[in-house]
């Protein structure tokens, strides 16, 4: 989800600098810092992000400057702005807090000064800014994010390969412990039968079945394998997938925790702990995925 792009442009007597960056975020948080006197600019730029970005904290800033003495303004609006500035200066002077002199560039960058532009000039500037954003800013930003995404896909795939290998090792350890478990269970049954002559055979069978279920990790291993397949499919998708991968990370960790709780075997527990470590590493990387 991280990305960065900057671009400078110029047209007529205007010049500007764009800066667009994004960092990780659970949803899409779009923050725009734009000259608020250019009508329709913010709405148009927000529309550009729809479909292009779905996740992350995205910040866009535009610094707009105009050459001093440039024409194309409404003289009456300028006179009103100057009168307002004079009134403010009089109040500040009377309060003993004189203000710094106002420059022509200040008039053209502040809202009160920007109002001196006539409607046609404002529309022409807005259209040129939007065209510059479409051509140079947003494509560069998306390409940076795409390049990072390709590198991230390789990292995610490597982590999934590790998880798949550990699931296979855990399956082998689970099969290896079966003989030991059977011997332990048989010994426990003999001890109970020797000590309690009145044992109910049906109740004993139920208890043994419960013990077997509590120790069986087949379902956990099967679900871990299914989660690996689902995650691989998501990683290969050329579409937003971060939230679905977030959910899968929770399921991965739930199964690994259950595997460790049921283990009762040193080797199987070791593989379960390794699984939890790699899953946590994968979860950290998933936070970077859109």
């Amino acid at each position: 989800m991280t990305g960065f792009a900057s671009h400078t442009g110029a047209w007529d007597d205007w010049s500007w600098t764009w800066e667009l960056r994004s960092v990780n975020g659970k949803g899409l948080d779009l923050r725009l810092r734009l000259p608020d006197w250019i009508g329709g600019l913010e709405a148009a730029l927000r529309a550009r992000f729809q479909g292009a970005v779905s996740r992350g904290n995205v910040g866009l800033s535009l610094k707009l400057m105009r050459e001093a003495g440039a024409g194309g303004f409404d003289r009456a609006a300028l006179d009103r702005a100057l009168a307002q500035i004079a009134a403010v200066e009089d109040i500040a002077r009377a309060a003993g807090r004189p203000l710094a002199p106002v420059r022509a560039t200040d008039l053209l960058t502040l809202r009160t000064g920007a109002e001196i532009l006539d409607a046609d000039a404002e529309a022409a500037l807005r259209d040129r800014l939007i065209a510059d954003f479409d051509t140079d800013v947003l494509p560069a930003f998306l390409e940076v994010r795409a390049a990072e995404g390709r590198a991230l896909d390789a990292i995610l795939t490597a982590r999934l390969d590790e998880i798949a290998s550990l699931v296979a090792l855990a399956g082998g350890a689970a099969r290896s412990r079966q003989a030991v478990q059977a011997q332990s269970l048989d010994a426990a049954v003999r001890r109970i039968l020797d000590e309690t002559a009145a044992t109910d055979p049906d109740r004993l069978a139920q208890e043994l079945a419960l013990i077997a279920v509590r120790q069986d990790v087949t379902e956990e291993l099967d679900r871990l394998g299914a989660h690996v397949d689902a995650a691989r499919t998501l990683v290969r998708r050329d579409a937003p997938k971060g939230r679905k991968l977030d959910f899968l990370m929770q399921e991965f960790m739930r199964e690994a925790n259950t595997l460790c709780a049921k283990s009762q075997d040193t080797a199987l527990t070791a593989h379960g702990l390794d699984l939890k470590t790699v899953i946590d590493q994968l979860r950290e990387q998933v936070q970077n995925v859109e």
Side-chain angles (χ1 to χ4, degrees):
M1 288 180 287
T2 59
F4 176 80
S6 63
H7 174 70
T8 58
W11 172 75
D12 198 12
D13 46 28
W14 293 93
S15 61
W16 56 81
T17 299
W18 297 97
E19 188 172 288
L20 177 56
R21 64 177 69 234
S22 68
V23 295
N24 301 339
K26 291 185 177 180
L28 177 60
D29 182 12
L30 186 58
R31 301 183 182 184
L32 278 60
R33 292 187 297 169
L34 308 169
D36 59 3
W37 53 268
I38 305 179
L41 178 61
E42 180 171 344
L45 294 180
R46 284 188 179 277
R48 265 65 180 174
F49 285 100
Q50 298 300 320
V53 179
S54 62
R55 199 179 186 209
N57 297 320
V58 181
L60 172 66
S61 66
L62 170 62
K63 294 181 180 179
L64 185 61
M65 297 157 286
R66 194 181 192 190
E67 293 180 10
F73 53 78
D74 184 333
R75 179 56 186 270
L78 177 59
D79 290 339
R80 290 194 298 272
L82 291 172
Q84 291 174 346
I85 290 172
V88 172
E89 289 177 337
D90 289 342
I91 294 172
R93 192 179 301 109
R97 305 182 68 177
L99 303 177
V102 177
R103 300 173 300 174
T105 53
D106 296 329
L107 288 172
L108 295 174
T109 53
L110 295 174
R111 180 175 178 81
T112 54
E115 290 172 348
I116 65 177
L117 285 177
D118 59 41
D120 290 341
E122 181 183 320
L125 177 60
R126 179 187 63 241
D127 292 345
R128 184 53 63 105
L129 288 170
I130 292 172
D132 191 54
F133 181 81
D134 288 343
T135 302
D136 293 300
V137 183
L138 186 57
F141 173 72
L142 295 178
E143 177 53 35
V144 170
R145 283 166 60 98
E148 181 179 345
R150 289 189 291 270
L152 188 56
D153 283 353
I155 295 173
L156 297 179
T157 299
R159 290 289 180 267
L160 289 170
D161 289 344
E162 288 184 61
I163 292 174
S165 297
L166 287 169
V167 169
L169 290 173
R175 289 188 294 273
S176 298
R177 71 171 186 161
Q178 288 177 350
V180 176
Q181 282 183 313
Q183 292 174 2
S184 176
L185 190 59
D186 183 65
V189 170
R190 292 180 182 278
R191 185 171 61 255
I192 293 172
L193 292 175
D194 291 341
E195 294 175 357
T196 310
T199 301
D200 183 353
D202 292 336
R203 179 61 183 273
L204 179 60
Q206 291 175 0
E207 294 296 329
L208 291 176
L210 286 174
I211 293 173
V213 169
R214 292 192 191 102
Q215 295 180 349
D216 185 18
V217 296
T218 303
E219 290 187 9
E220 286 72 26
L221 293 174
D222 288 344
R223 281 195 288 265
L224 282 168
H227 294 338
V228 169
D229 292 339
R232 290 190 196 279
T233 300
L234 283 173
V235 169
R236 289 193 295 265
R237 284 179 52 187
D238 186 17
K241 52 204 171 189
R243 292 185 180 180
K244 291 184 177 180
L245 285 171
D246 272 342
F247 173 76
L248 267 180
M249 294 307 101
Q250 298 174 30
E251 298 303 306
F252 268 116
M253 191 59 76
R254 181 178 293 111
E255 301 303 335
N257 284 331
T258 306
L259 178 68
C260 289
K262 287 184 173 183
S263 171
Q264 297 185 4
D265 178 79
T266 303
L268 184 56
T269 299
H271 295 317
L273 293 175
D274 288 342
L275 270 169
K276 291 177 64 174
T277 299
V278 179
I279 290 168
D280 194 56
Q281 292 171 348
L282 179 61
R283 182 192 60 78
E284 291 179 358
Q285 294 295 337
V286 164
Q287 303 310 305
N288 300 314
V289 179
E290 182 174 352

